[in-house]
Amino acid sequence: MGIRSLLLLLTLVVYVSGRKASAWHGHTSPGSTKIAKFTPYYVPPGAKSYDSSSPLLHFSGTWAESWHSAYVQKTLRSTSEPGASMTFTFIGTGIEWFGNMDKKHGSASVYLDGALAQIVSAYSDVAMKQQRIFWAFNLEQGKHTIKIVNAGDGNSKSRGTVTDIDALVVTWGPPPPPRALRKDLAVVPRTMASYSPPLDMSPRQVPGNQWTLVQKGSTGVHAMQLAIISETHALIIDKVEHNPLTISGHPAWAALYNLKTHALQPLSVQSNSFCAGGTFLSNGTLVNVGGNPVVEDHTAAADFGDVDGLQAIRIFEPCESDNVEKCTIYENHGRIRMASPRWYNTVLRISDGSAMIIGGSRKGGWINNGTTNNPTIEYFPPKSIHDSNGLPIHLPFLVDTLNSNLFPIAFSLPDGSVFMAANRDAMVYNWKTNTERRLPRIPNGVRITYPMTGTGLLLPLSPENNYTPEILLCGGSTIDDTKAGYQISSQDPASSQCSRIVLTEAGIAAGWQVEQMPNARTMPDAVLLPTGDIVIVNGAGSGISGYGNVIGQVGESNADNPVLTPVFYDPSAAPGQRFSSAGMPTSNIPRLYHSVATLTPDGDVMIAGSNPNLDRSEVKYGTEYRVEWLGPDYMNRERPQIVGGVPKLLGFGKTAKLQIRLPATVRQGSSVQVALMDLGYITHAVHANSRLVYLVNSLSSDGTALTITGPPDRNIYPPGPGFIYVVADGVPSMGVRLLVGDGSGPEVDESALKNVLEKTEVDQYEQSKDKSNGDGTE
Ligand SMILES: *[C@@H]1O[C@H](CO)[C@@H](O)[C@H](O)[C@H]1NC(C)=O
Ligand SMILES: *[C@@H]1O[C@H](CO)[C@@H](O)[C@H](O)[C@H]1NC(C)=O
């Protein structure tokens, strides 16, 4: 293919990709419903804007200067001369070009460091100012040159060939990594010799001692919420903000991330999903629930045209193929919505395969209080139980646990009831009888839910432990939750406490068993591995969740002292022998508020996020898009393989015969386990639905066939998606996805559904709020 046809092809690609006439038409802000145009020009704190009038921009050929109050710095340069160019040299990791778009605009060639990067067209049938015409992020940190050359052509509809430049924005990005952490290079693991154990733990050598940490990929939208949706993709959902990834001419706030190629597909979301929760239902459909009001003037000057997300139920139908082009998020509040507004609610799949939606605040804010609290649960699909006819059911626990009780930690228990922890308290909720059984208070004044955020897991269930539930809670804070922001500091220490309770009569009588992590952490993420071990990552050594509230903020972060080294936790070891950081690589990326981590189908841990900011920022602690992959030692060993036989549906108590290949090193008669795992829906350190159930299995005498038996019933594993990992001698295979149960959806109670739509308003908060009152912004 010659240069000419290559250029033509590139031009075509730009045209058909839809940037041409896809201006985002939102509402004017604030409060108005008048249609207006979106102006994407935004300079994140820490980035720098260079106006067209800057002497650092070198123009050659004929350029005219024009003035208008809507231009950046009121000035703009334009040319219609083919070959006229602008050259600008900058130091940074990204560059954005802003200018006008209209019918008179044609195309331009953009060169980066001398190489053609893209041919872009600024043609638009709608006239718009301050549009982002070209952008490149993720450049190597350093000196770069951008050259913009008028191509002298329009498209067939153009009435001209204008190229103009209003402003260039240079993004600096995160601080340069030390050599060992260069992109795509594995961190050299620390050896035992260089590792000095903290005083309060007895280190235990992690088998193999070869954990790796690789930084690769970018999430494009900030990773506030994360769920693995298939063997190849993760779903990432953010709030409305100026992310680099774009859809339909405006920044995206959700994306699908290809775990194998690291490619991104932006997703369109209607309402503000800021601090929503989520779960899969029994039929494999994912629901994303709750959020924040419309973004108005608080998020920079721009208006994204989003709608109120507080009552949103966003439906993401199964998307299992590796081609995700057709996968979308459906939302229609007139037809599907919650009965009440919720921000920071937890969403849990329960034993009938439906979603239990727990608590939250009735509007945005920070620490919850009696005015904002929504001390109820509701279900999706709605249920006619306890005379609710689909409407919210009051939960006294959520009143008694004020103030620090948002994003409750909840797990479905093997008797069908639900464990719930909030603030310093915990209970077991029997949703069938609507009764609470209060558990002993978490010891030593430790609070474990937002904004004193800790994390929690249900420890592995197995036939060997008779599916006895045991809960682990780690981290959080002892800060008094009645204090005002100005009485709290980013330097107030986090808690290092982990607390465990066995949910049997004897276990409850014995109460919480306390142990200490080697480091204090608020906002940690605890990730279950198929081996039954846990790795704890992310978080801060001091401060509190949220941004812009406390004294001693770092940038806008309410927290400081990032904890950069993961901790391994073996729940089955003797107390005092469970924690270790031996051989753990240390990251150089702080992961504070709005960070996430999940096990992947491959068996490593995907770590992303951190954004303690109102909007995208490059000031410490900035908005983090880089992804890290933490590889447990087993990733480097020869691994068992599942080569066939995994059914699409695994019924309760039903058997299936898998074909497997065990490593030659696996001795005859050594243990083979089958881990059925729900990888969970992760946000704000809540790993909703995270679950590991070991399945009854028997290995053929030649070691190539493995008969597995589905979990005994829907209480042990609520029907819905899961991944099967075969674990031999402590080394797991890659995970294969299936649906547990019969694949049917949760029961739809038409009368409850109808009642919710009849008795509740759409977008109540948006309709009722005092216009001068602003929105919630933490
Ligand atoms: C409750 O929280 C909201 C949202 O943060 C805040 O606006 C309000 O002032 C608080 N009310 C009380 C009584 O503290
Ligand atoms: C699963 O059930 C939910 C709730 O009824 C429904 O909205 C969704 O469309 C169903 N998904 C499939 C794949 O049938």
Side-chain angles (χ1 to χ4, degrees), residues 213-215 587 589 591 605-607 626-630:
L213 186 67
V214 175
Q215 186 237 308
S587 176
I589 303 179
R591 306 277 188 189
V605 177
M606 176 182 184
I607 301 173
R626 290 173 295 174
V627 185
E628 286 171 297
W629 309 86
L630 177 65

Side-chain angles (χ1 to χ4, degrees), residues 494-547:
S495 169
S496 59
Q497 178 171 297
C498 289
S499 314
R500 276 169 71 158
I501 193 166
V502 180
L503 295 177
T504 57
E505 290 307 326
I508 292 168
W512 294 92
Q513 308 299 306
V514 165
E515 51 199 328
Q516 303 299 322
M517 294 185 281
N519 296 93
R521 288 187 202 238
T522 179
M523 303 176 270
D525 280 289
V527 178
L528 262 174
L529 303 177
T531 54
D533 298 315
I534 290 163
V535 64
I536 299 172
V537 298
N538 299 347
S542 67
I544 182 170
S545 290
Y547 47 79

Side-chain angles (χ1 to χ4, degrees), residues 223-227 235-238 273 275-277 288 596 681-683:
M224 176 191 288
Q225 304 165 45
L226 176 67
L235 171 66
I236 297 172
I237 299 184
D238 189 17
S273 48
C275 302
N288 178 249
V596 288
Y681 188 98
I682 298 107
T683 187

Side-chain angles (χ1 to χ4, degrees), residues 281 283 285 315 317-318 380-381 745-746 748:
L281 304 173
N283 57 10
T285 292
I315 309 267
E317 297 288 8
F380 182 78
V748 178

Side-chain angles (χ1 to χ4, degrees), residues 40-88:
Y41 178 72
Y42 169 72
V43 187
K48 191 158 168 39
S49 176
Y50 294 85
D51 186 59
S52 59
S53 60
S54 163
L56 299 174
L57 275 61
H58 298 286
F59 292 90
S60 83
T62 313
W63 290 76
E65 184 148 33
S66 46
W67 291 268
H68 191 288
S69 60
Y71 297 154
V72 177
Q73 301 280 323
K74 300 194 172 57
T75 62
L76 177 115
R77 297 247 180 142
S78 60
T79 185
S80 293
E81 179 182 287
S85 65
M86 187 287 312
T87 309
F88 172 65

Side-chain angles (χ1 to χ4, degrees), residues 290-293 308-312 338 340-343 361-363 765:
N292 209 44
D308 183 357
L310 276 162
Q311 279 167 261
M338 280 192 283
S340 58
R342 295 177 196 266
W343 178 83
S361 158
R362 302 184 65 87
K363 56 174 273 195
Y765 176 79

